Amino acid sequence: MVKNMTYCPECGGEMHYVAVTKLYVCKSCGLSVTGQELDELRDRNRPSDETEDELRENRRKEYLKWYLSKK
């Protein structure tokens, strides 16, 4: 799941894995996250290849899908 992610997505500090709690903990800021949360933070912080129009269209489609599912 988490591969080669040794730096904190928040402050850039070094992360280490604590086997007892099964969490990754930043040595600088103390951020503690699971492997899945670390992947999600890394993906969220990655720059997007989509243009502003594509992002807007995707948000519109997601909202429409959500809205229609509630009917």
Side-chain angles (χ1 to χ4, degrees), residues 49-60:
D49 293 335
E50 296 178 308
T51 65
E52 190 64 35
D53 289 336
E54 290 172 331
L55 286 171
R56 193 175 307 116
E57 181 65 16
N58 287 340
R59 280 191 223 120
R60 186 189 68 77

Side-chain angles (χ1 to χ4, degrees), residues 2 4 10 44 52 56:
V2 177
N4 301 326
E10 296 293 322
R44 191 177 322 140
E52 190 64 35
R56 193 175 307 116

Side-chain angles (χ1 to χ4, degrees), residues 15-71:
M15 301 283 287
H16 68 278
Y17 183 72
V18 180
V20 175
T21 60
K22 299 181 182 176
L23 295 173
Y24 288 86
V25 180
C26 176
K27 292 181 179 181
S28 297
C29 69
L31 175 73
S32 60
V33 292
T34 65
Q36 182 178 355
E37 291 169 333
L38 192 56
D39 282 343
E40 290 170 2
L41 284 171
R42 182 184 62 202
D43 290 342
R44 191 177 322 140
N45 290 337
R46 183 176 297 140
S48 176
D49 293 335
E50 296 178 308
T51 65
E52 190 64 35
D53 289 336
E54 290 172 331
L55 286 171
R56 193 175 307 116
E57 181 65 16
N58 287 340
R59 280 191 223 120
R60 186 189 68 77
K61 287 179 181 177
E62 288 174 14
Y63 175 78
L64 183 60
K65 183 179 177 182
W66 169 83
Y67 180 78
L68 293 174
S69 72
K70 299 295 180 187
K71 298 281 176 183

